[in-house]
């Protein structure tokens, strides 16, 4: 179905394939200010679905949404020394406001630990105010020298959670719970992207954190994408912003904190984890359009039948859309929906209608290694909603299975730095952290290979980055 | 039920009452940079509900969400002369990025006509690309000299719609449709705020628009709040950004455009349109919490019964919350929920439970002129969901009726500028525009009274601000 040459094949030039898909599937454009992006309606619809799914999980985790200002006084950032060192090179600074030079310049938030903790300091008085669990959906700005749309942009969209707890253990448990029950669950069950979880090494830690946990996905070029992070902040911000509470024994104590976030970078992850030479592949649970009902041509009541079927699909809870643009050739439209990665096409032509039937075409083939020509089946119009629903479930599972099998085939066990370097050309390498260590990590850095995370040999999250017998998962990253 | 003196009475000092309610109901705080605000979880929950309701209506109007950059090159704003004149005094300008002075400073968007139309110019080629209907939810910045939380803040949250059409009539019709079917419908049926609609005079028009339509609500101090606007932009941006299409006859033509928006200012409108001396009054259709089930004290299975009832309410589609903080006195908690304007309190104590009953307390009294002591009724636990649902419907209707009756009692017909000035002390004045005219308007301005809108004598939206026999509705405004 797909026209040859719509996209540069992945195998020929993966970065160009990525750029092609952004353009051709109408996902995003570069903004006029270097490093900024314009997210087009279809790209934004993907982000909105991600927001809805993540937001629901964050609320289930007990956090409440709030909104803090975009502008932060420069002096706030300086209060935490590692934090300001980490972010200074990336700041955008407003020096003029309302037609005048500002007495104190303000920075555009690169992240909101400082401004949010300034308010936590007011809001937390007693142990009864804890835990304080806050989330915000916002845009943030980090000046980007080598921008790439969705992956590294000067402005991006994200959520950032910020919490305060009475004890270190509680804080750590909450950060780990967010990692597992909000992020990992969303990424695996909705995005259908298998993720490796673990701790960052000291070199890769968030500026100001005592521990950073992360989720790493593998893209179809074998590179790693950090899909999200959850940090233990310890008491550094609590000390700098004087966030104390009166505990049950009547003693003043500093709180223990976490912060955690996922961003519009996940849209890039979605594209690169599942896309193929025909375009995007969007897992049904995420898809803004799960099934498109295409009128093959305008004849004999075909368009009306398409709308009736779409209504029936919607009534069955399926996100359906009709394509009745019969002024445009059928092949071109089918290619377009394939590019956009819509999981199921439901095609109705005059002959289908005559037989009371429709043709279902899955976005992915039986083995995903095919030509992109999806599996086809003919169904009766009356059975279509049920069949589409079942097909969507199958596709969701299959996309995950394919991604998992493919990723696991590209992870090798390594014993030396040289082994790791070799493996990182096509995927990830696992090496005991006791073998690699900070020195090996530094050696890999010369070759742009990094430790993506430290995890237990069975892949589980350790109790901390300093647990014995951890494995370092290494790779090149976005 | 309410403790005396929690809030400054409205009648004594309305601005202080407003400030008190922001603090006591935990809605928002001032941010550290002058004019910015911190929206606290309960304030943000109100905004989230507004977003959800408006977003649904915008999508039904056929517009799609997208996202454009926060940063706009300074040169973009200058392209439309009225637009740049209007916004220049309010701009925040970034002059440093990534540790260096920027070659071209960038402005933080005060609104996005310029940057969005730069992309419309790429996306619109043929009449088949029209109408182009785009919306974005975003933060914007307009440096504010006399800030007031939610009403006038340096940074605020809003949606801005931007559309391009083939003809002037289509653009005007679409702008008017947004006014009626998205904004007015939301404000009246969800916010329960009656709004006057009409055209702005030339003096009050949006910079760059050929016509501005608006919705004006009356607050409980008799002042007007502009709740939203919908503009006809004509072809000025289309000319400056070269947005042309090939029409069906093969001729190049400029598009006709609209833009329209509502913002977090509506939260301020909600507070001031319905609030009383006991606190917020939130209409049920908007309320993040429609019914709070309060355990009067922790005895004899009361807390368990509260949770079971809340589950039953939730199952009936009611947004319910349990208050089982029995460590805090019942009176204090009841006052707190009254402050937060939750429409219905469901109280269960040991004696209620013994009789299989609960007490329903409405946030508003039978006549709204009462002591804030809401109407009470006893219901059986099994009938409670049905009864609460019916009560919520009643409350929604009554809040609207009260606001309408109260507003209409404060609108007078005036014949002279002096009449208008007098009436504006307590509410709105209506005067034939042919009597007032731009000269009378200028005279009123000295007294801080403005023409809120021009409308037909029966209150309907005219075909334009230049229609004959229009009435000017005048008042003081926020």
């Amino acid at each position: 179905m797909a026209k040859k040459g719509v996209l540069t094949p992945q195998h020929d030039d993966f970065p160009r394939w990525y750029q092609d898909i952004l353009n051709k599937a109408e996902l995003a454009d570069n903004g006029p200010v270097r490093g900024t992006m314009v997210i087009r309606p279809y790209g934004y619809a993907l982000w909105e679905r991600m927001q809805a799914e993540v937001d629901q999980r964050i609320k289930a985790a007990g956090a409440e949404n709030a909104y803090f200002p975009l502008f932060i006084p420069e002096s706030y950032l300086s209060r935490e020394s590692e934090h300001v060192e980490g972010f200074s090179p990336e700041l955008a600074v407003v020096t003029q406001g309302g037609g005048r030079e500002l007495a104190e310049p303000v920075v555009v938030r690169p992240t909101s630990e400082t401004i949010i903790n300034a308010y936590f300091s007011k809001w937390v008085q007693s142990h009864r105010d804890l835990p304080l669990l806050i989330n915000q959906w916002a845009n943030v700005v980090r000046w980007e020298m080598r921008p790439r749309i969705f992956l590294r942009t000067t402005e991006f969209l994200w959520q950032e959670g910020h919490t305060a707890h009475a004890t270190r253990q509680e804080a750590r448990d909450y950060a780990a719970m967010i990692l597992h029950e909000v992020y990992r669950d969303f990424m695996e069950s909705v995005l259908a992207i298998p993720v490796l979880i673990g701790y960052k090494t000291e070199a890769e830690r968030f500026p100001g954190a005592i521990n950073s946990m992360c989720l790493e996905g593998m893209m179809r070029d074998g590179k790693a994408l950090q899909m999200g992070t959850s940090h233990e902040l310890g008491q550094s911000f609590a000390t700098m912003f004087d966030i104390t509470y009166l505990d049950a024994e009547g003693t003043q104590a500093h709180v223990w904190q976490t912060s955690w976030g996922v961003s519009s970078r996940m849209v890039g992850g979605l594209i690169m984890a599942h896309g193929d030479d025909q375009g995007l592949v969007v897992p049904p649970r995420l898809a803004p359009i799960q099934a498109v009902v295409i009128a093959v041509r305008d004849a004999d009541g075909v368009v009306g039948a398409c709308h009736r079927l779409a209504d029936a699909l919607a009534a069955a809870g399926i996100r359906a859309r009709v394509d009745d643009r019969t002024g445009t050739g059928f092949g071109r439209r089918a290619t377009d929906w394939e590019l956009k990665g819509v999981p199921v096409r439901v095609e109705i032509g005059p002959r289908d209608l005559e037989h009371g039937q429709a043709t279902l075409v899955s976005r992915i083939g039986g083995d995903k290694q095919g030509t992109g020509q999806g599996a086809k089946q003919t169904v009766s119009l009356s059975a279509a909603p049920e069949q589409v629903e079942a097909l969507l479930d199958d596709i969701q599972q299959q996309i995950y299975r394919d991604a998992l099998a493919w990723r696991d085939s590209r992870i090798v066990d390594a014993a030396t730095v040289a082994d790791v370097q070799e493996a990182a050309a096509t995927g990830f390498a696992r090496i005991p952290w006791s073998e690699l260590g900070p020195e090996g990590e530094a050696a890999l850095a010369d070759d742009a290979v990094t430790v993506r995370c430290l995890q237990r040999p069975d892949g589980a999250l350790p109790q901390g980055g300093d647990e014995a017998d951890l494995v370092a998962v290494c790779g090149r990253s976005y």
Side-chain angles (χ1 to χ4, degrees), chain A residues 69-86:
Chain A
L70 175 70
F71 291 154
I72 303 180
E74 238 180 5
S75 59
Y76 276 40
L77 257 87
S78 328
R79 292 203 207 167
E80 217 291 335
S81 59
E82 281 183 31
H83 193 70
V84 69
E85 259 178 52

Side-chain angles (χ1 to χ4, degrees), chain A residues 215-268:
Chain A
L215 308 102
E216 303 279 328
M218 188 191 282
M219 305 296 102
R220 291 192 65 82
D221 60 352
K223 283 193 184 173
L225 185 72
Q226 177 179 296
M227 301 280 293
T229 51
S230 187
H231 313 291
E232 269 189 81
L233 300 180
Q235 298 187 302
S236 55
F237 290 95
T239 308
M240 294 309 153
F241 288 92
D242 197 26
I243 314 176
T244 59
Y245 70 100
L246 207 58
D247 69 19
E249 284 73 46
T251 315
Q252 288 285 347
H254 283 108
V255 299
W256 294 86
Q257 299 196 266
T258 79
S259 70
W260 27 277
V262 293
S263 75
S264 43
R265 143 178 279 219
M266 291 192 297
V267 180

Side-chain angles (χ1 to χ4, degrees), chain A residues 5 7-18 20 220-221 277:
Chain A
L7 302 176
T8 304
Q10 287 188 347
H11 195 79
D12 291 359
D13 185 342
F14 197 83
R16 246 188 94 174
W17 168 85
Y18 183 73
D20 282 355
R220 291 192 65 82
D221 60 352
D277 290 348

